[in-house]
Amino acid sequence: MCNRKPSFRLEIDNFSEKEACIESPTFVSGGCEWYLFLYPKGDSLCDDHLSLYLSVANTQLLQSGWKRSINYYFIVVNQCHKELYRSSRLGGHLFCAENPSWGQRKFLPLEKYQEKGFLEKDRLIIQVYIDILEATDGKDLEVSRIKQRLQNIESCFVKNCVEFKSKEISLEKEESDTDASRIKKLEERVNNLELMISDDVNASRIQQQEERIKSLETMMSDLKVGLDMEKAKSCADGFFVVDHNDVLM
């Protein structure tokens, strides 16, 4: 009888009827998750022994670089906790991503099942004892990788921000240059219109003055004709008109 408390105890009822691989529930030992799996009639490479293995559980949730170094052994007991069979102490195996399972292909000879009292009420009870020597979950390596990824993302983000800002400044400059060019063109058009208006006004004023001068000249000509006609009529009547300038002379 073993006085030490096992890391896990697996009980299988109706064991003689079992043929397919049997997996135990997940259990925790040494802060790590494990499970047992066994082949009642042996695995594909052994058909005269029960094959029993210990495996790391939930490996897909572990960080890269994880590993487990342990010593372990198996014991078969009956319902009264009497030891029926014990494996040798197993060690020197490294559980890792490449090799998450270790055990014994030839753990228990099938002929043992026939021994009197071995399978009490057709129940097989297996206990596993685990001593953790070293356990690494790969956090340090993963943290380093995460930091590197964050640095790469930050560097890429800064680069994109600089490029975006440069493009934004360039667009603003182009828009500013375009606006300045448009304003200059509009100012030139306004100046040209003002000149045209000014020229039209001046031309109109000159034309008006010329027309007034022509009108005055016409009036003077008409007055002179009238005076000549009056002079001619006075002479005919024995009178003549004396011009004021002639008197002064």
Side-chain angles (χ1 to χ4, degrees), residues 24-182:
S24 76
T26 299
F27 63 93
V28 176
S29 179
C32 304
E33 293 185 322
W34 310 88
Y35 72 95
L36 298 177
F37 67 95
L38 59 91
Y39 297 88
K41 303 296 191 292
D43 62 19
S44 60
L45 299 178
C46 177
D47 59 3
D48 58 355
H49 283 71
L50 179 148
S51 301
L52 178 60
Y53 300 92
L54 173 66
S55 181
V56 177
N58 300 317
T59 56
Q60 70 277 9
L61 301 179
L62 296 176
Q63 308 292 351
S64 59
W66 68 267
K67 61 182 179 179
R68 308 279 187 267
S69 180
I70 68 172
N71 290 329
Y72 65 103
Y73 58 93
F74 305 111
I75 294 179
V76 177
V77 298
N78 62 17
Q79 296 185 44
C80 295
H81 306 291
K82 178 182 178 181
E83 182 177 321
L84 302 177
Y85 188 82
R86 176 192 291 255
S87 73
S88 60
R89 188 173 181 85
L90 304 173
H93 300 307
L94 181 64
F95 292 76
C96 58
E98 291 75 18
N99 296 294
S101 304
W102 290 98
Q104 289 184 303
R105 175 170 285 117
K106 295 183 177 182
F107 169 65
L108 180 66
L110 297 185
E111 60 187 26
K112 279 286 185 180
Y113 300 165
Q114 308 303 322
E115 293 181 5
K116 185 178 179 180
F118 192 86
L119 288 179
E120 187 179 355
K121 297 182 180 179
D122 201 18
R123 174 180 291 179
L124 179 69
I125 302 174
I126 298 176
Q127 296 176 342
V128 59
Y129 296 81
I130 300 174
D131 294 315
I132 302 291
L133 301 179
E134 180 184 3
T136 303
D137 57 12
K139 282 186 178 179
D140 294 340
L141 178 61
E142 189 64 19
V143 167
S144 177
R145 290 181 179 177
I146 291 174
K147 286 183 178 180
Q148 185 61 45
R149 288 185 63 189
L150 289 174
Q151 289 177 357
N152 293 338
I153 292 172
E154 183 180 7
S155 177
C156 183
F157 177 76
V158 171
K159 181 180 178 182
N160 290 336
C161 285
V162 171
E163 291 180 354
F164 177 79
K165 192 63 179 178
S166 298
K167 291 180 180 179
E168 184 180 14
I169 293 173
S170 178
L171 288 174
E172 289 179 353
K173 186 176 183 302
E174 290 179 2
E175 291 177 356
S176 177
D177 293 343
T178 301
D179 292 340
S181 178
R182 289 177 179 174

Side-chain angles (χ1 to χ4, degrees), residues 194-208:
E194 289 178 349
L195 289 174
M196 291 174 65
I197 293 172
S198 177
D199 291 342
D200 290 342
V201 170
N202 292 335
S204 177
R205 288 179 179 177
I206 292 172
Q207 185 177 0
Q208 289 177 0

